[in-house]
Amino acid sequence: MPLVIQSVERILEVFNEGKGYSSWLSDDSIQEAIRTFNVPPSIHIFGAGWGSTYKADARQLKCFTNKSIREWILTFGHDCHFTTAHIDKLSRIVTYYDSMAAIPVVPSRLKRQVADLLDQHSMGDSWVHIPGTCQQQVDFHNCGIFTLHNIECILQGYDPKSFTVEPKMLRYKYARAISKMQHNTDHQEIFERMLS
């Protein structure tokens, strides 16, 4: 369901660094940008909540019993920071991407959350958990932008580390994608004003 106009306006303020009252992305703004991605039917993307416990609605949980879905991409929010986990059912590999991990490691808290999630859905425990490499942020507010970038690379079959992009360019790209997704001319006027 699309966000209401006030929320969309707020999201685009956040995506446009320096405008609005914060340049950090919220879970809502990340989910809105993900709606603009071309996601194959064999992949399911969802936010796994914020904090130390996994939270998902019944629709999201159904994806684990859907046999046509072979991969899951989860966004995790914790300690004012977003990371990504890519779960590949065929290879039984879980790869973690963290834009603030100068040395790639498997975050123990997220590994426990993913293991609990897989266990809840009787997916077994013979999974390999590995750290992925990705572009590193040089600030404290672009983790959400790099989370989106990592997801987009995974969807297109690229290693997230293979592309280095300025965060400002990514912010502009995702803000434009959200604005193009909207069909209401009133929305378009707000978006154009905010992007100018």
Side-chain angles (χ1 to χ4, degrees):
M1 170 182 280
L3 299 175
V4 296
I5 184 68
Q6 293 84 7
S7 297
V8 173
E9 185 173 15
R10 167 72 177 110
I11 286 170
L12 288 177
E13 285 176 2
V14 171
F15 272 100
N16 288 293
E17 190 171 16
K19 297 181 181 179
Y21 29 83
S22 173
S23 53
W24 285 3
L25 298 189
S26 67
D27 194 35
D28 286 342
S29 55
I30 288 174
Q31 296 308 314
E32 189 71 6
I34 288 171
R35 288 183 60 232
T36 70
F37 293 171
N38 183 18
V39 182
S42 63
I43 299 177
H44 187 78
I45 304 172
F46 58 94
W50 189 265
S52 60
T53 58
Y54 168 79
K55 300 174 188 110
D57 63 31
R59 184 184 56 82
Q60 290 172 331
L61 296 177
K62 269 182 99 171
C63 78
F64 283 92
T65 58
N66 184 336
K67 295 193 185 312
S68 67
I69 295 177
R70 297 187 311 267
E71 299 174 56
W72 302 282
I73 301 173
L74 287 70
T75 61
F76 288 95
H78 57 95
D79 298 331
C80 299
H81 181 60
F82 279 103
T83 56
T84 308
H86 175 219
I87 304 171
D88 186 321
K89 188 162 74 171
L90 297 178
S91 68
R92 301 190 67 78
I93 294 175
V94 182
T95 309
Y96 300 86
Y97 297 95
D98 185 348
S99 61
M100 287 189 78
I103 299 170
V105 296
V106 173
S108 58
R109 180 187 324 173
L110 299 186
K111 181 180 177 182
R112 278 193 311 272
Q113 284 183 268
V114 169
D116 288 347
L117 176 67
L118 294 171
D119 191 47
Q120 285 174 22
H121 299 283
S122 304
M123 303 294 289
D125 58 1
S126 59
W127 291 81
V128 176
H129 298 262
I130 61 172
T133 57
C134 61
Q135 185 174 344
Q136 297 296 291
Q137 62 191 85
V138 295
D139 52 43
F140 294 103
H141 60 269
N142 277 313
C143 57
I145 290 296
F146 286 119
T147 291
L148 290 169
H149 178 63
N150 293 338
I151 291 169
E152 192 172 25
C153 288
I154 293 166
L155 289 174
Q156 295 178 14
Y158 300 118
D159 177 1
K161 183 68 172 177
S162 62
F163 288 96
T164 301
V165 184
E166 286 296 318
K168 194 172 276 189
M169 294 297 293
L170 291 171
R171 285 179 180 273
Y172 182 76
K173 173 184 174 180
Y174 298 133
R176 291 295 293 173
I178 290 171
S179 71
K180 286 180 181 178
M181 186 176 59
Q182 305 302 318
H183 300 294
N184 187 307
T185 56
D186 292 337
H187 288 185
Q188 191 63 34
E189 181 182 317
I190 291 170
F191 300 142
E192 293 302 324
R193 185 182 68 223
M194 294 175 72
L195 291 172
S196 62

